[in-house]
Amino acid sequence: MSDRLKELREKALSLPLTPGVYVMKDEGGQIIYIGKSRALKNRVTQYFREAGHTNVKTAQMVSRVRDFEYILTDTENEALLLENRLIKAHEPKYNIKLKDGKRDPYLKVTLGETYPRIEHCFEMKKDGARYFGPFTTSSRAYALKKSAEKLFSLPSCKRVFPRDFGKDRPCLYYSIGQCCGLCTGKVKEKDYRAAVKGALLYLNGSYAEIKKSLTADMEQAAEEMRYEAAAVYRDRIRELGRLTEKQKIVSSPDTDADVIALYRAEPLSCLTILQIRGGLLCDSENRFFTLETPDDSSALTSYLLHLYMKKADIPPLVLLGEALEDEDSAMLEGFLREQRGRKVTLSIPEKGEKKALCVLARENAKRQTLLKEKEHERSDKTLVALASRLGLEVLPQRIEAFDISNFGGDNITAGMVVFADGKPKKSDYRLFRIRESGGQDDYASMREAVRRRFERYLDGDESFAPLPDLLLLDGGVGHVSAVRGVLESLEDKNGVPLSALVPLFGMVKDGFHKTRTLTDGENEIDISRDRALFAFIYGIQEEVHRYTYGSMSKAKSKTLKRSSLEEIRGIGAKKAAALLSHFGTLTAVKKASREELMEVKGIGEQEAESLLAHFEEKKKAKEGKTK
């Protein structure tokens, strides 16, 4: 054993046998690994043993450690949470990067309200609501919300109850029997609460309990000769069967569990979580790793902690496809129990039905890994073909594309989309509001957007740090020539013009608005004969157009909403909102008298005169045009 390891081991042997977090540092004092333990002395001492480590990643980390620090905690759960926060803050080289995922979709039932509703959201709060999720996609969350509302006839409108009772006639959903008509004010609160309770059971996956309850209600209604009510319950039972018939039965009806398995491979690995509720496979989640696969018990425990910190619905049973160290298993089980507020059993089954579920999860992880690898292979082939066709020196792993969109000279917007390894990387998308280039000058607007993007890079802005391997413009020779001048005028810290570092091409559209050729400003490269390459470039063209045009439309919509009343002297955003709230429509505002206008809070005689004069001027101008 080297002197360095002996010193570190002696320091580790002096640690207490209490919970805490340890921080490994390299020769320069940089944090390279953060871990946790219920007994610091035992865990940290293991790193500096004479026999070494069979795990390559752990061996590499230990070889770089020159010192370590530690933080004591009162409980094991505190150690888990502290480790998670420190990893996010420092992002050590040998820890898996933990991302917050602030846009994870959830559903929440607003139980704190008199008449609870089901809402879609992206964050859990301590507001008395019941949360479900996170879901793998927003579309999955919306579909579940819609089916729960339909099954239990809950309102999906934006009306506020009881404030809006009787204000408007019931909507179409009430007419076709898909809403209870809460807006009529005739639905009893206890009946509505019973429907919400059913929706909670449905969102939780308790289908057997729902069917049992609905069947009992149907039979009771029939005995009391309330045949219309019995028919409603019958229809709900049928709808429940229709909604669940596509879900696979994988276990006994009383099984509520998450099943977790990890398939390790090179260069890609996959962690699969199967959500089983009432014996049915309700949902599955796949997480992919490349260089950061959880390759030991501690890393896997930390990653599972991160996942379950965000979960709103933790089941009473969590099954793992591989064993954890006793210490990690106990800590994770304790954390899950605390998060759920009730008992949670963490189990690594060795036989029987539960073992079969773990095998199913691992087979799913393996299948997803193979599918993802095939996607990568197709993408790589396309990128190789693109590099070959354009004569690029490197594979274009990062592609940036720009487009310009405007509306009558206003709200000129440049959009930048990014494709990394052939896939959209939406976190790197950027918008540029064109400020300097007045009017509808696409060339000037494109020059400004590209110049601002690369000036941010040269100024050291990390969000613009990676230079693209390929820069594409939605345009032809004129756009390329305009932007090439910008790249030639900008130099990196070594004095090299960016035009020598960033390959530039324009996407030339044909008569069908599709990119069939690329141009470098002098030559045109035909891509129409390579179907995969054509589809790839066309996809980039469509994505940058969608992103840019969509963003411009939102900006223009805001301007139009603002300008209609706010362009009148003395009328700002608050007064305009007050007028519309009081009269309901812009037409009603135009028809109002001076006295009626002055009834609105904030509208005095001067503002009323301005409004009347403005509307009269508009009226005369319109009459003049028709003559």
Side-chain angles (χ1 to χ4, degrees):
M1 181 182 292
S2 67
D3 293 340
R4 176 184 62 86
L5 283 178
K6 287 180 180 178
E7 291 177 5
L8 291 171
R9 182 174 176 82
E10 287 177 6
K11 183 176 179 179
L13 288 170
S14 67
L15 295 177
L17 287 167
T18 54
V21 172
Y22 53 92
V23 179
M24 301 293 191
K25 295 184 176 183
D26 64 10
E27 192 170 10
Q30 186 76 23
I31 296 174
I32 60 174
Y33 187 76
I34 296 171
K36 76 324 183 167
S37 177
R38 65 192 304 193
L40 279 171
K41 178 180 178 179
N42 293 344
R43 173 58 64 88
V44 179
T45 302
Q46 290 178 357
Y47 285 104
F48 310 117
R49 61 193 184 195
E50 189 171 358
H53 298 272
T54 55
N55 184 292
V56 176
K57 184 177 176 181
T58 303
Q60 288 178 347
M61 185 274 291
V62 172
S63 70
R64 294 187 58 188
V65 174
R66 293 298 179 268
D67 195 9
F68 65 85
E69 297 176 354
Y70 62 94
I71 304 169
L72 300 180
T73 59
D74 292 330
T75 65
E76 298 166 14
N77 282 340
E78 283 183 16
L80 283 166
L81 296 172
L82 177 59
E83 179 204 35
N84 190 271
R85 289 197 297 270
L86 291 176
I87 291 173
K88 288 178 182 176
H90 297 284
E91 296 188 346
K93 176 181 176 65
Y94 292 97
N95 284 102
I96 297 172
K97 303 297 185 291
L98 303 179
K99 299 178 181 179
D100 284 327
K102 294 179 180 178
R103 299 298 293 174
D104 286 326
Y106 293 87
L107 290 180
K108 78 171 182 177
V109 182
T110 57
L111 295 178
E113 299 177 0
T114 306
Y115 295 94
R117 308 285 290 272
I118 305 174
E119 297 179 355
H120 181 272
C121 63
F122 290 98
E123 185 181 1
M124 286 196 299
K125 298 179 180 178
K126 294 182 179 179
D127 54 4
R130 174 81 182 276
Y131 287 83
F132 297 89
F135 296 94
T136 50
T137 62
S138 285
S139 59
R140 163 68 178 156
Y142 276 118
L144 197 59
K145 175 180 182 289
K146 185 177 180 180
S147 60
E149 289 169 342
K150 181 180 179 182
L151 183 59
F152 294 96
S153 299
L154 298 178
S156 58
C157 60
K158 294 183 179 180
R159 297 176 186 178
V160 179
F161 304 113
R163 186 195 71 185
D164 294 339
F165 280 166
K167 283 193 175 181
D168 293 297
R169 67 177 63 183
C171 64
L172 176 63
Y173 288 108
Y174 174 70
S175 302
I176 62 177
Q178 290 188 13
C179 178
C180 63
L182 185 60
C183 57
T184 64
K186 298 177 181 179
V187 179
K188 294 180 180 179
E189 184 179 336
K190 67 173 184 178
D191 293 337
Y192 185 79
R193 285 274 177 177
V196 171
K197 182 180 178 181
L200 286 169
L201 290 172
Y202 177 75
L203 294 174
N204 195 49
S206 304
Y207 307 127
E209 189 174 346
I210 297 172
K211 185 176 181 181
K212 182 179 179 181
S213 176
L214 290 174
T215 302
D217 290 339
M218 179 183 68
E219 291 173 349
Q220 183 177 347
E223 288 179 6
E224 296 172 355
M225 292 185 289
R226 293 185 292 112
Y227 298 118
E228 288 187 5
V232 170
Y233 292 127
R234 178 204 62 203
D235 292 342
R236 288 184 180 177
I237 293 170
R238 289 176 178 174
E239 180 66 13
L240 177 65
R242 188 189 67 80
L243 291 170
T244 58
E245 66 182 358
K246 294 181 181 180
Q247 293 178 326
K248 183 178 180 181
I249 299 174
V250 294
S251 186
S252 55
D254 60 343
T255 301
D256 292 332
D258 281 354
V259 186
I260 303 169
L262 177 63
Y263 175 76
R264 295 182 176 87
E266 292 292 342
L268 192 68
S269 300
C270 178
L271 180 82
T272 288
I273 302 177
L274 303 181
Q275 296 181 11
I276 298 169
R277 303 294 184 266
L280 296 175
L281 178 57
C282 296
D283 200 3
S284 63
E285 182 178 1
N286 300 299
R287 302 276 180 145
F288 294 96
F289 306 91
T290 52
L291 302 176
E292 296 182 336
T293 303
D295 51 6
D296 59 25
S297 175
S298 180
L300 181 56
T301 302
S302 296
Y303 191 75
L304 293 178
L305 159 73
H306 173 66
L307 288 181
Y308 277 95
M309 283 181 71
K310 302 184 295 178
K311 280 191 174 290
D313 49 338
I314 297 176
L317 178 63
V318 175
L319 302 176
L320 292 180
E322 61 182 77
L324 299 176
E325 293 183 10
D326 291 343
E327 176 183 342
D328 292 323
S329 180
M331 291 182 76
L332 182 57
E333 187 175 72
F335 171 78
L336 294 174
R337 188 184 303 117
E338 187 170 300
Q339 286 287 99
R340 185 171 185 257
R342 286 175 288 170
K343 182 180 178 182
V344 176
T345 301
L346 185 69
S347 175
I348 300 92
E350 296 182 357
K351 59 182 179 179
E353 181 183 88
K354 292 181 174 60
K355 177 64 176 179
L357 291 175
C358 290
V359 172
L360 177 66
R362 190 177 186 280
E363 286 301 311
N364 181 83
K366 181 179 180 180
R367 182 168 62 253
Q368 293 298 325
T369 300
L370 296 176
L371 289 173
K372 183 69 74 171
E373 286 177 346
K374 287 182 179 179
E375 287 181 14
H376 286 174
E377 287 176 7
R378 286 195 295 269
S379 178
D380 287 346
K381 287 180 180 178
T382 302
L383 294 179
V384 168
L386 181 60
S388 175
R389 194 66 58 89
L390 300 183
L392 304 180
E393 294 181 1
V394 298
L395 203 66
Q397 293 178 315
R398 181 182 175 90
I399 300 173
E400 294 180 6
F402 281 78
D403 191 12
I404 302 293
S405 194
N406 60 65
F407 190 90
D410 298 327
N411 296 299
I412 301 176
T413 303
M416 180 187 93
V417 303
V418 178
F419 278 63
D421 295 322
K423 301 293 181 182
K425 189 178 181 183
K426 295 188 176 183
S427 61
D428 283 6
Y429 284 16
R430 295 292 183 270
L431 281 175
F432 300 87
R433 307 293 182 194
I434 301 303
R435 302 187 294 259
E436 304 165 10
S437 309
Q440 299 185 46
D441 187 341
D442 272 12
Y443 297 154
S445 298
M446 190 72 84
R447 279 197 299 267
E448 179 184 335
V450 173
R451 175 178 55 77
R452 284 164 57 188
R453 180 262 179 266
F454 286 104
E455 282 180 346
R456 295 282 292 273
Y457 161 74
L458 295 173
D459 289 341
D461 188 334
E462 291 187 0
S463 63
F464 287 88
L467 282 176
D469 301 311
L470 174 62
L471 181 61
L472 296 176
L473 308 177
D474 189 53
V477 174
H479 290 84
V480 172
S481 299
V483 170
R484 190 176 301 283
V486 173
L487 297 180
E488 289 173 348
S489 68
L490 299 174
E491 298 179 348
D492 70 2
K493 60 183 180 181
N494 298 316
V496 179
L498 295 188
S499 57
L501 302 175
V502 180
L504 172 65
F505 289 84
M507 297 181 287
V508 184
K509 301 184 182 72
D510 62 10
F512 299 97
H513 200 72
K514 292 185 177 181
T515 303
R516 296 187 181 276
T517 60
L518 299 174
T519 179
D520 60 2
E522 297 178 359
N523 308 298
E524 286 201 352
I525 300 97
D526 183 15
I527 60 171
S528 61
R529 296 182 181 180
D530 187 326
R531 181 178 296 181
L533 184 56
F534 168 73
F536 178 63
I537 296 297
Y538 178 63
I540 294 177
Q541 176 200 10
E542 287 293 292
E543 177 66 1
V544 70
H545 181 73
R546 177 202 66 78
Y547 177 67
T548 309
Y549 183 81
S551 302
M552 180 277 297
S553 298
K554 289 179 183 177
K556 187 61 183 177
S557 177
K558 290 179 181 178
T559 301
L560 292 172
K561 290 177 182 177
R562 180 180 67 249
S563 63
S564 184
L565 282 175
E566 292 179 46
E567 66 182 16
I568 302 171
R569 184 177 179 182
I571 305 298
K574 289 185 178 180
K575 292 179 181 179
L579 284 163
L580 290 172
S581 177
H582 181 84
F583 291 102
T585 64
L586 182 60
T587 302
V589 177
K590 292 178 180 179
K591 292 180 178 179
S593 65
R594 178 184 287 100
E595 291 73 21
E596 289 172 331
L597 289 170
M598 291 174 64
E599 290 177 3
V600 179
K601 184 178 179 180
I603 304 298
E605 186 174 351
Q606 187 174 354
E607 288 85 0
E609 287 291 345
S610 294
L611 285 161
L612 292 171
H614 175 82
F615 294 143
E616 183 64 24
E617 184 180 341
K618 289 285 186 182
K619 182 179 178 182
K620 289 180 179 179
K622 186 177 181 180
E623 289 174 350
K625 287 183 179 180
T626 58
K627 289 181 180 180

